[in-house]
């Protein structure tokens, strides 16, 4: 089957390519890119992409798909539909499932379920410690050979330095990145939101920025010492960004991500949305939001990743202190990125696309992230000017926990192709 995407603005950051062009897909592969002569334009489907961006399928290296364990919140199948609707063609799942993804057997079953039921490519991380308890290392070597693309106890930090040191040494030997959720939970145990003006007003003990920054600093030193590749997840504080900036300057092998909620909204959203705006690391201050955006702009933060964290409506109706941390993010990522970074002039469209495609692919050694002849036809069409209002009830995710309801955004993924198959398409 041949599909022609005609006359779009093609952006391929890996090759520095940005021009109006056609893209022809056949049997799951990209076969031609460029101004195609009439005689080879015959196709089963022709998509008029005038006014649209044609970019490599987006890659999110930080999602929680809740299988095994919590299918009410999300399954691998439903999460993949949310991914496709957000323009993503590949995702990396986090291991804080039940049981945790801490054995080769569980990892293999997750990857098999991905192949069987998902409409996008599903990759997975594996836990650093058994049961994500921070006490005993998993068999990282076996998990690596079973397909783990990174190791993380995401949702928690491995606080014991001797254990995390061993994990870094093993990761360095295997050549696989450690993805670090940075939070010294001994400092932040009781808080639900950022420690500051809003937490004081609401009587919450607050989550200190220092708890995140201490662990960023520690992990940067561990990466420097062991030579392991470190990827810092969801950086939320100005000083955290600065620590990474300085470490990069001195040559530490570190990459880092910014999440859309951390570059677009502050902890004031808690006043409006309550527990729907409870996330870990928490929404911080305007100064931190600005720092995350600047970190993305100057390359300190390499990727945009959603930390898509679905929870049931009942859980999120609990009081702030008891509700779980997290918000869904796959279906608002492109809108938030364009509205808050691209249309504000903080980030070029090419840089934004790179941070959603080639950068995450390279960090996790995933296929994809580029548009090139002969490559798998993972392709996303984005309407950069489409105005829309966030309606969580319309999400493809099983969950609707989202503090962006009612927000007007400009920019949206409008069609997603995985291996040449259309897995999402919006009426124009
Ligand atoms: O807000 C969060 N939710 N942060 C995390 O690190 C974990 C995630 C979850 O699993 O719900």
């Amino acid at each position: 089957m041949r599909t022609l995407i005609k006359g779009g603005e093609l952006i391929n950051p890996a090759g520095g390519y940005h021009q109006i062009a056609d893209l022809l897909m056949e049997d799951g592969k990209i076969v031609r890119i460029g101004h195609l002569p009439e005689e080879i334009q015959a196709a089963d489907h022709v998509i008029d992409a005038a006014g649209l961006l044609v970019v490599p399928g987006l890659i999110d290296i930080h999602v929680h798909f809740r299988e095994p364990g919590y299918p009410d919140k999300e399954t691998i199948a439903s999460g993949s539909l949310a991914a496709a609707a957000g323009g993503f063609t590949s995702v990396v799942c986090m291991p804080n499932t039940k049981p945790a993804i801490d054995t080769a057997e569980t990892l293999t079953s997750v990857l098999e379920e991905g192949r069987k039921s998902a409409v996008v490519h599903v990759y997975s991380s594996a836990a650093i410690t058994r049961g994500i308890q921070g006490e005993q290392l998993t068999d990282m070597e076996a998990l690596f050979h079973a397909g783990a693309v990174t190791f993380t106890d995401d949702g928690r930090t491995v606080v014991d330095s001797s254990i995390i040191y061993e994990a870094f040494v093993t990761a360095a030997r295997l050549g696989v990145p450690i993805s670090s959720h940075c939070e010294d939970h001994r400092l932040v145990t009781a808080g639900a939101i950022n420690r500051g003006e809003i937490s004081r007003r609401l009587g919450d003990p607050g989550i200190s920025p220092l708890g995140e920054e201490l662990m960023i600093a520690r992990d940067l030193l561990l990466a420097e010492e062991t030579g392991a590749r470190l990827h810092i997840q969801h950086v939320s504080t100005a000083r955290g960004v600065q620590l990474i900036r300085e470490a990069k300057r001195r040559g530490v092998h570190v990459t880092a991500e910014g999440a859309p909620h951390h570059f677009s909204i502050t902890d004031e959203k808690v006043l409006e949305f309550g527990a729907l705006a409870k996330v870990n690391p928490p929404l911080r201050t305007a100064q931190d939001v600005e720092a995350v955006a600047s970190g993305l702009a100057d390359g300190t933060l390499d990727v945009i990743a959603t930390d898509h964290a679905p929870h049931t409506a009942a859980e999120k109706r609990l009081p702030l202190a008891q509700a779980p941390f997290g918000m869904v993010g796959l279906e608002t990522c492109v809108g938030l990125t364009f509205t808050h970074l691209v249309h504000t002039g903080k980030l070029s469209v090419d840089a934004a696309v790179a941070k959603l495609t080639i950068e995450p692919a390279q960090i996790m050694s995933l296929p994809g992230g580029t548009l090139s002849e002969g490559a798998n036809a993972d392709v996303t069409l984005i309407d950069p000017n489409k105005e829309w209002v966030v309606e969580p009830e319309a999400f493809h995710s099983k969950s609707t926990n989202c503090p962006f309801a009612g927000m007007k955004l400009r920019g949206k993924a409008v069609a997603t192709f995985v291996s040449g198959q259309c897995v999402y398409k919006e009426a124009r």
Side-chain angles (χ1 to χ4, degrees):
M1 193 179 66
R2 281 159 74 94
T3 303
L4 177 68
I5 300 174
K6 203 171 153 52
E9 190 174 332
L10 221 119
I11 302 177
N12 186 29
Y17 188 98
H18 186 154
Q19 53 186 275
I20 304 290
D22 309 315
L23 182 148
L24 185 65
M25 308 187 264
E26 186 165 17
D27 300 330
K29 303 280 180 210
I30 296 172
V31 290
R32 289 290 286 270
I33 292 173
H35 296 284
L36 303 186
E38 283 298 325
E39 62 271 21
I40 65 162
Q41 289 203 6
D44 306 288
H45 296 288
V46 178
I47 295 165
D48 174 10
L52 302 181
L53 308 179
V54 181
V55 306
L58 309 184
I59 299 176
D60 188 354
I61 58 176
H62 194 148
V63 304
H64 296 269
F65 279 180
R66 308 303 190 199
E67 241 184 322
Y70 309 98
D72 289 359
K73 299 181 192 229
E74 197 80 286
T75 59
I76 291 170
S78 68
S80 82
L81 293 173
F88 293 92
T89 57
S90 296
V91 296
V92 175
C93 295
M94 292 298 111
N96 60 341
T97 48
K98 197 171 178 187
I101 304 176
D102 62 358
T103 64
E105 200 183 4
T106 308
L107 173 62
T108 302
S109 72
V110 165
L111 296 176
E112 261 169 25
E113 183 61 23
R115 279 189 289 274
K116 209 172 74 195
S117 70
V119 299
V120 303
H121 307 293
V122 172
Y123 301 95
S124 187
S125 60
I128 297 171
T129 65
R130 291 200 205 161
I132 315 201
Q133 292 301 308
E135 286 159 11
Q136 276 179 298
L137 281 187
T138 55
D139 185 344
M140 290 174 64
E141 182 131 14
L143 284 158
F144 175 68
H145 292 300
V149 299
T150 185
F151 288 88
T152 178
D153 271 8
D154 182 50
R156 289 192 182 167
T157 297
V158 181
V159 174
D160 187 320
S161 296
S162 67
I163 293 174
I164 193 66
Y165 176 78
E166 274 313 309
F168 270 74
V169 169
T170 307
R173 179 166 54 78
L174 297 172
V176 65
I178 294 277
S179 293
S180 194
H181 169 113
C182 291
E183 174 189 16
D184 188 336
H185 46 75
R186 296 165 302 189
L187 261 188
V188 300
T189 33
I193 61 173
N194 181 48
R195 183 174 298 167
E197 165 102 27
I198 309 283
S199 67
R200 276 190 293 278
R201 227 196 287 174
L202 296 179
D204 183 82
I207 300 176
S208 156
L210 185 63
E212 179 173 344
E213 294 152 359
L214 282 173
M215 284 301 165
I216 291 178
R218 181 200 71 174
D219 286 356
L220 289 168
L221 291 176
L222 284 168
E224 195 164 20
E225 179 75 18
T226 60
R229 281 197 289 140
L230 167 63
H231 177 71
I232 299 183
Q233 301 176 300
H234 42 45
V235 182
S236 75
T237 82
R239 190 156 55 172
V241 174
Q242 185 57 19
L243 285 165
I244 297 164
R245 186 176 285 125
E246 287 161 11
K248 282 192 163 185
R249 280 199 199 118
R250 61 175 199 272
V252 179
H253 290 164
V254 59
T255 55
E257 69 196 32
H261 46 273
H262 289 135
F263 63 67
S264 55
I265 50 176
T266 67
D267 54 356
E268 289 200 11
K269 277 278 171 201
V270 177
L271 299 175
E272 190 184 343
F273 283 95
L276 289 176
K278 177 176 175 180
V279 63
N280 189 12
L283 302 175
R284 306 265 190 198
T285 65
Q287 190 208 345
D288 297 307
V289 167
E290 209 38 61
V292 171
S294 305
L296 285 163
D298 74 7
T300 301
L301 307 182
D302 308 79
V303 309
I304 295 169
T306 67
D307 194 7
H308 177 83
H311 292 292
T312 63
E315 288 171 301
K316 280 294 197 179
R317 273 196 297 270
L318 292 168
L320 192 58
Q322 283 118 51
F325 290 98
M327 51 185 68
V328 291
L330 283 163
E331 295 172 76
T332 45
C333 178
V334 167
L336 291 167
T337 299
F338 275 76
T339 305
H340 291 275
L341 300 179
V342 177
H343 295 313
T344 53
K346 292 179 184 168
L347 200 63
S348 71
V349 67
D350 293 53
V353 172
K355 285 172 194 299
L356 287 162
T357 58
I358 188 66
E359 298 277 2
Q362 284 178 345
I363 292 166
M364 297 298 164
S365 306
L366 306 178
T370 67
L371 294 176
S372 53
E373 292 176 358
N376 219 17
D378 292 347
V379 181
T380 297
L381 305 192
I382 293 173
D383 182 341
N385 292 312
K386 180 166 179 142
E387 296 196 343
W388 60 290
V389 176
V390 179
E391 287 173 43
E393 297 309 321
F395 286 164
H396 296 69
S397 170
K398 275 198 176 184
S399 293
T400 55
N401 52 306
C402 167
F404 297 103
M407 189 183 272
K408 213 171 141 189
L409 298 178
R410 178 150 75 101
K412 199 171 198 298
V414 293
T416 309
F417 295 85
V418 173
S419 304
Q421 292 289 322
C422 182
V423 292
Y424 178 74
K425 188 162 190 308
E426 210 164 274
R428 282 181 85 182

